[in-house]
Amino acid sequence: MEDNPKKLGIRRITRDFPPAHFLFKVEAFSLLAKTGVEKYESDAFEASGYKWRLSLYPNGDNKSNGNGFISLYLVIEETENLPLTWEVNVSFRLFVLDQIRDKYLTIEDGDGAVKRFHWMKTEWGFAQLISLDSFNDTCNGYLVGDCCIFGAEVFPLARNCKWECLSMVKQPEDNTIIFKMDHFSKLDRKYYESSVHTIGDSKWKLTVYPRGNVKFKGKALSVFLELVEANKLPPKRKVYAEYKLRVRNQMNDNHMEFSVERWFSATSVNWGYPQFMTLKVLHDPSKGYIVCDSVIVEAEINLVSQVKRFS
């Protein structure tokens, strides 16, 4: 009777075409088993740039619950030529030829798991590859004329995994943009921009409309924080910021400020207040917002998202 694949976590199917990388024929198998040899190792073969061999236990690998079974393992070779911290990730299949029907019994992990070979684990395989009862039953075709054929194919998985790390950075360094606007009463352009500051891993600037923007033109000071080069962000990338927009009171600590929480993106590059404060309040000499014809506008970013990518 054939082994139960579900019980062992092993998938067994038959196919017509032979394994891609190696065939291993054993003649007079019964005599090999009678020698008492625990395992027999094939010569090395190459597959996808690495050297391998098959390790056959004709009477089962008793140390791994293989009693009553044929045990077969794939072993990586010549690892002394690999870097000190080497590892090779592969998917592989082992085979037994049904010589009567000319079909290959294919044995692999039921979940299609990728196996990681490294300096502490140089072999993977199946302690219960096929039961000796099934193997020795001539009707199954695995042992014909005391001859059997095993095989292997090995497909390494290239390591090109990319990592992305999203961090929420609280109180980043140099987190305040200070935009001093001198000769404020003489400013005649629609808006003015601060210099660009890098906070977190993003670039930011302030945009200020001295006489207001859109429907608040002539009525209020408009202040916005802008994510610079937002159009260069990868598709779907967003940048989060928690920040304060502030017009500094230069006479005391009674600053005019508002807190903002916002995700910035290529389609939402700035955010602020078109009606940050009325021009009447701003220009009131007793309020302290304009001193020596200068206004100080600030953006203080207290939390910002940051993305790092690794190969």
Side-chain angles (χ1 to χ4, degrees), residues 179-197:
F179 186 19
K180 185 177 182 183
M181 306 178 71
D182 293 323
H183 310 294
F184 190 78
S185 63
K186 295 181 173 62
L187 299 179
D188 56 2
R189 297 208 310 261
K190 181 179 179 180
Y191 63 88
Y192 292 82
E193 297 175 332
S194 72
S195 59
V196 175
H197 291 244

Side-chain angles (χ1 to χ4, degrees), residues 238-256:
K238 295 182 178 181
V239 179
Y240 181 77
E242 290 183 6
Y243 58 97
K244 292 180 179 180
L245 292 176
R246 177 186 303 121
V247 172
R248 179 171 289 278
N249 189 311
Q250 301 177 65
M251 297 173 60
N252 53 53
D253 293 330
N254 189 25
H255 311 306
M256 179 69 73

Side-chain angles (χ1 to χ4, degrees), residues 9-294:
I10 298 172
R11 187 165 74 107
R12 292 177 172 84
I13 60 173
T14 58
R15 76 183 202 191
D16 295 325
F17 54 97
H21 297 121
F22 189 61
L23 284 170
F24 173 38
K25 183 177 182 179
V26 180
E27 296 180 338
F29 179 86
S30 62
L31 297 180
L32 173 67
K34 287 179 181 178
T35 65
V37 64
E38 180 185 14
K39 65 179 178 180
Y40 179 86
E41 295 183 308
S42 73
D43 285 343
F45 64 94
E46 186 170 342
S48 302
Y50 298 95
K51 293 291 184 67
W52 312 86
R53 72 174 73 245
L54 288 179
S55 181
L56 171 67
Y57 290 71
N59 294 303
D61 181 5
N62 295 329
K63 295 177 183 178
S64 297
N65 198 30
N67 187 37
F69 292 83
I70 298 286
S71 302
L72 188 64
Y73 298 93
L74 178 69
V75 184
I76 192 168
E77 288 293 317
E78 299 185 10
T79 58
E80 65 275 5
N81 299 323
L82 298 176
L84 183 63
T85 57
W86 69 271
E87 65 175 61
V88 178
N89 299 294
V90 305
S91 61
F92 68 92
R93 304 181 186 95
L94 301 180
F95 299 82
V96 185
L97 175 61
D98 175 353
Q99 301 170 70
I100 296 175
R101 284 159 282 272
D102 193 24
K103 292 183 180 293
Y104 289 87
L105 175 64
T106 306
I107 303 98
E108 60 186 336
D109 279 316
D111 58 2
V114 173
K115 297 301 184 183
R116 176 173 169 256
F117 289 78
H118 53 95
W119 69 277
M120 294 182 64
K121 181 67 174 177
T122 58
E123 70 174 35
W124 287 95
F126 305 100
Q128 299 182 7
L129 183 85
I130 185 172
S131 69
L132 286 171
D133 288 342
S134 179
F135 181 77
N136 290 318
D137 187 341
T138 56
C139 294
N140 290 324
Y142 304 128
L143 189 63
V144 175
D146 209 18
C147 171
C148 57
I149 298 176
F150 302 96
E153 56 187 23
V154 188
F155 301 100
L157 182 68
R159 292 199 64 188
N160 57 1
C161 179
K162 306 295 183 181
W163 281 78
E164 179 177 308
C165 178
L166 171 64
S167 302
M168 305 302 286
V169 182
K170 194 171 184 179
Q171 299 298 327
E173 294 183 0
D174 301 322
N175 66 331
T176 302
I177 302 171
I178 301 175
F179 186 19
K180 185 177 182 183
M181 306 178 71
D182 293 323
H183 310 294
F184 190 78
S185 63
K186 295 181 173 62
L187 299 179
D188 56 2
R189 297 208 310 261
K190 181 179 179 180
Y191 63 88
Y192 292 82
E193 297 175 332
S194 72
S195 59
V196 175
H197 291 244
T198 299
I199 301 174
D201 61 354
S202 301
K203 296 178 180 179
W204 307 88
K205 67 181 179 182
L206 278 166
T207 302
V208 179
Y209 293 75
R211 292 172 181 80
N213 185 29
V214 195
K215 66 180 181 178
F216 296 103
K217 187 174 182 180
K219 300 178 181 179
L221 181 77
S222 302
V223 181
F224 302 89
L225 178 67
E226 180 174 334
L227 177 63
V228 181
E229 298 180 347
N231 61 325
K232 295 183 179 180
L233 290 174
K236 306 296 185 181
R237 172 73 64 79
K238 295 182 178 181
V239 179
Y240 181 77
E242 290 183 6
Y243 58 97
K244 292 180 179 180
L245 292 176
R246 177 186 303 121
V247 172
R248 179 171 289 278
N249 189 311
Q250 301 177 65
M251 297 173 60
N252 53 53
D253 293 330
N254 189 25
H255 311 306
M256 179 69 73
E257 67 178 28
F258 296 95
S259 297
V260 184
E261 300 175 5
R262 184 70 178 175
W263 284 98
F264 293 78
S265 67
T267 58
S268 181
V269 302
N270 59 37
W271 190 259
Y273 292 90
Q275 190 180 14
F276 187 84
M277 62 190 304
T278 66
L279 293 180
K280 181 179 179 180
V281 171
L282 175 66
H283 288 276
D284 186 337
S286 67
K287 301 296 185 182
Y289 298 117
I290 299 178
V291 173
C292 298
D293 204 20
S294 294

